[in-house]
Amino acid sequence: MMSLIKTDLVKVLKMQYLFKFKANIDVFSSLIGIQLLAVLFSFGGFYHSTHGWGMVINLQQYSANIVICFTFIWALITAITITTKPYRHYDFTFVTNRLSSSLSNILFLLTVSVLGSITAMLSSNLIKFIVYMFLDDSIVLFKQPFFDFFTGMITTSLYTFLFCSIGYLVGAFIQYHKGFSVVIPVLFMGLLIFDGMTMNSTTITGFTEFYIKESNPFYFLLKTILMSSLVLTAAISIFNHLEVER
Amino acid sequence: MNVVTILISIIAVVIAIFLLSKRFKMTYSLLIIYIGALLISSIFIWFISIEDERERIKTDEMTNQFNETLRQGERERIDPLYLMKEETFQIDEDQELTLTSNYEWEVRVYVDRKNIDDGKVEASIYHIGPYVDGVYVTDSLAPYRLKKKEDTLGFYVPQDRTVKVTMGAPEFTVTQFKYGEVFSEDPIYANDPAIYLQVPKSLKIKRGEGVFIDYVK
């Protein structure tokens, strides 16, 4: 039976987004767990020693780099998870189509990317705080430039969203054919080994360097947005080809 | 751990027990506790954060400027912060003064001849750094010594003193743009010490072990 009520995409999107945010709130439990684990690993710090001028300087540096990397992994897994069948079944609570479902998923991923990045950046202070509590006779040089925090937060959000996008595409491939759940990890590992054997940054390392070696914030923004858009468009078109309720 | 830490920990545990009770959904409680901990630690770190004492030193440029200024005899242009010590020694102008050092590399001595023979050698020790992440940590440096024994003036660096420094490093998502690369630059910088000697005009100077003599123009 056909409904005569006209649906507004924005309205549907808003409802779906809010519903998904509430329904998937547990992703934040895993975020906290993974970030706390990374905080624990970060206590080792980075040790550096130098001598000269009548002095030996033993320098211990602490940062949230491990937390950020763990957040990327979390983002990838979260994005793959929301493409799975149980999560996609939530959509059928509403009047929906593949497009609105994907768009609300993207909005959800964007939100968790930003939240995950803020907590990742703030976790550097948690690391410093705990380290400070257990310090003995060390000179403490902690700085908190707001601009650095702001830059870090935006950049981390962009990276995290890129990982979400990749995860969403991977999820789409797996939903299209289960064989991809084997092919993609094998391909990833294979390309990494290929890069290592050829001592050449061509595939995975080349892709990584394409981003981490970009020192111009504008170009970086452009690269991430373009790549995310491309990857998400591919994912949406794969989902559009899926049969209903597959 | 001080009293404040213990107090904060107790309050945190009480809040955690309250939030983890069945009145709240587990995830919300965890989120509130985690974000609370992040914010409290951020406020704490903000209170103990330090400001750069000086502009970040650009190593090569700074070193060249420093040495060139001493070579030109324009000591007044050098920041007094870099002056570690000043000492005056009595000397007989007829003797030959040998300069030596125990410094691990050659220490540079700038010799400035006065217009008169006043029987005095005025020595100044200059030293830039060490800086760690733009912060001067010279307070931890044992002062260098100048010692005159008969016809020898020696520059002595004391035995290595160990200093522990703990610092927060910027994340790679910051350094990527700040320094143009993912790994931040070496945060430790120091310049080799330099000695500026004002000597009577007819005093003969002999180069001993561990020094390099540069005459002021």
Side-chain angles (χ1 to χ4, degrees):
Chain A
M1 195 173 75
M2 279 179 69
S3 170
L4 293 174
I5 302 165
K6 269 196 173 176
T7 53
D8 178 8
L9 182 68
V10 180
K11 231 177 192 174
V12 171
L13 255 182
K14 194 181 163 190
M15 271 174 67
Q16 281 193 359
Y17 166 73
L18 289 173
F19 174 77
K20 279 179 183 172
F21 194 79
K22 278 183 186 168
N24 298 332
I25 194 78
D26 285 336
V27 296
F28 290 107
S29 299
S30 54
L31 172 74
I32 294 167
I34 211 161
Q35 287 195 347
L36 285 177
L37 188 70
V39 164
L40 201 69
F41 287 145
S42 303
F43 288 141
F46 176 72
Y47 180 76
H48 174 69
S49 183
T50 188
H51 81 102
W53 330 284
M55 156 180 235
V56 177
I57 301 175
N58 293 332
L59 180 70
Q60 196 80 31
Q61 291 175 278
Y62 295 94
S63 76
N65 281 340
I66 299 176
V67 185
I68 292 170
C69 291
F70 273 44
T71 306
F72 293 163
I73 298 168
W74 166 81
L76 191 83
I77 294 166
T78 302
I80 295 172
T81 310
I82 64 163
T83 59
T84 55
K85 219 173 197 175
Y87 284 87
R88 279 189 296 121
H89 276 175
Y90 286 145
D91 291 342
F92 299 105
T93 319
F94 301 97
V95 176
T96 183
N97 59 24
R98 294 284 184 207
L99 182 70
S100 69
S101 169
S102 285
L103 288 178
S104 59
N105 278 341
I106 290 164
L107 278 177
F108 171 72
L109 290 176
L110 189 66
T111 313
V112 295
S113 299
V114 173
L115 288 174
S117 304
I118 293 171
T119 52
M121 286 304 291
L122 283 175
S123 72
S124 82
N125 290 330
L126 184 66
I127 296 163
K128 289 176 200 164
F129 175 75
I130 298 169
V131 164
Y132 185 81
M133 290 303 156
F134 293 98
L135 275 181
D136 37 22
D137 57 339
S138 181
I139 297 171
V140 180
L141 305 176
F142 287 155
K143 294 179 191 171
Q144 215 177 23
F146 179 74
F147 187 74
D148 280 6
F149 176 78
F150 191 69
T151 315
M153 200 189 71
I154 292 174
T155 317
T156 311
S157 299
L158 288 168
Y159 270 124
T160 312
F161 187 63
L162 185 64
F163 272 87
C164 279
S165 311
I166 295 167
Y168 199 65
L169 180 66
V170 171
F173 273 122
I174 293 170
Q175 292 312 309
Y176 190 75
H177 196 285
K178 292 283 174 244
F180 280 111
S181 59
V182 179
V183 172
I184 292 170
V186 169
L187 194 68
F188 178 77
M189 291 306 292
L191 289 175
L192 266 184
I193 294 166
F194 174 76
D195 275 356
M197 282 172 74
T198 54
M199 302 285 278
N200 208 349
S201 306
T202 39
T203 57
I204 305 287
T205 38
F207 179 78
T208 314
E209 283 177 5
F210 180 65
Y211 287 97
I212 62 169
K213 284 196 171 173
E214 182 54 70
S215 57
N216 185 317
F218 176 73
Y219 287 142
F220 178 79
L221 183 80
L222 210 68
K223 280 179 179 181
T224 17
I225 289 175
L226 279 178
M227 183 58 78
S228 299
S229 312
L230 207 72
V231 168
L232 288 171
T233 311
I236 291 170
S237 55
I238 291 170
F239 277 122
N240 283 339
H241 282 90
L242 286 181
E243 290 167 30
V244 176
E245 275 235 49
R246 179 171 170 178
Chain B
M1 282 208 286
N2 53 27
V3 185
V4 181
T5 322
I6 297 165
L7 210 66
I8 290 173
S9 310
I10 293 169
I11 294 168
V13 168
V14 171
I15 295 171
I17 291 168
F18 175 72
L19 289 171
L20 290 173
S21 64
K22 289 194 172 175
R23 292 176 61 182
F24 290 92
K25 190 175 166 19
M26 185 67 138
T27 307
Y28 290 118
S29 308
L30 283 175
L31 261 175
I32 293 167
I33 294 168
Y34 185 55
I35 292 171
L38 292 178
L39 291 177
I40 289 169
S41 54
S42 299
I43 293 166
F44 181 82
I45 295 298
W46 182 72
F47 274 113
I48 62 160
S49 287
I50 46 141
E51 293 289 325
D52 274 8
E53 286 173 29
R54 309 180 58 76
E55 285 289 304
R56 203 171 179 80
I57 303 294
K58 289 291 166 208
T59 51
D60 292 341
E61 194 185 330
M62 186 70 197
T63 306
N64 291 339
Q65 264 181 18
F66 175 72
N67 290 329
E68 193 51 38
T69 310
L70 285 176
R71 194 176 290 120
Q72 298 293 334
E74 297 169 339
R75 289 196 307 151
E76 60 286 349
R77 280 179 51 208
I78 293 176
D79 193 327
L81 182 72
Y82 303 136
L83 178 64
M84 182 184 259
K85 194 182 240 179
E86 278 184 308
E87 261 181 271
T88 304
F89 303 93
Q90 296 295 327
I91 193 140
D92 176 8
E93 282 97 5
D94 299 331
Q95 73 179 95
E96 189 181 46
L97 183 68
T98 307
L99 303 175
T100 61
S101 161
N102 75 338
Y103 191 58
E104 53 189 321
W105 301 290
E106 279 191 339
V107 69
R108 200 168 276 264
V109 181
Y110 295 92
V111 178
D112 184 7
R113 290 196 183 279
K114 299 180 206 170
N115 296 325
I116 50 162
D117 281 328
D118 58 356
K120 283 181 196 168
V121 171
E122 291 161 47
S124 309
I125 304 175
Y126 287 93
H127 191 264
I128 297 183
Y131 279 93
V132 179
D133 198 26
V135 177
Y136 212 33
V137 291
T138 309
D139 292 348
S140 313
L141 192 70
Y144 303 147
R145 284 188 301 122
L146 280 166
K147 197 173 173 186
K148 185 177 171 295
K149 196 175 175 187
E150 293 168 3
D151 59 346
T152 304
L153 179 64
F155 167 76
Y156 299 102
V157 175
Q159 273 200 324
D160 283 351
R161 182 186 278 188
T162 304
V163 178
K164 281 162 76 180
V165 182
T166 303
M167 63 171 274
E171 283 68 34
F172 71 91
T173 48
V174 177
T175 53
Q176 179 175 353
F177 305 114
K178 200 172 181 181
Y179 304 125
E181 54 187 88
V182 172
F183 299 105
S184 54
E185 57 189 36
D186 188 357
I188 302 170
Y189 170 69
N191 192 27
D192 290 329
I195 302 159
Y196 193 89
L197 286 184
Q198 285 180 294
V199 298
K201 70 170 181 183
S202 30
L203 182 74
K204 284 180 187 158
I205 303 278
K206 190 182 166 192
R207 181 185 170 190
E209 209 174 300
V211 294
F212 180 83
I213 300 172
D214 213 339
Y215 288 93
V216 172
K217 289 168 188 169

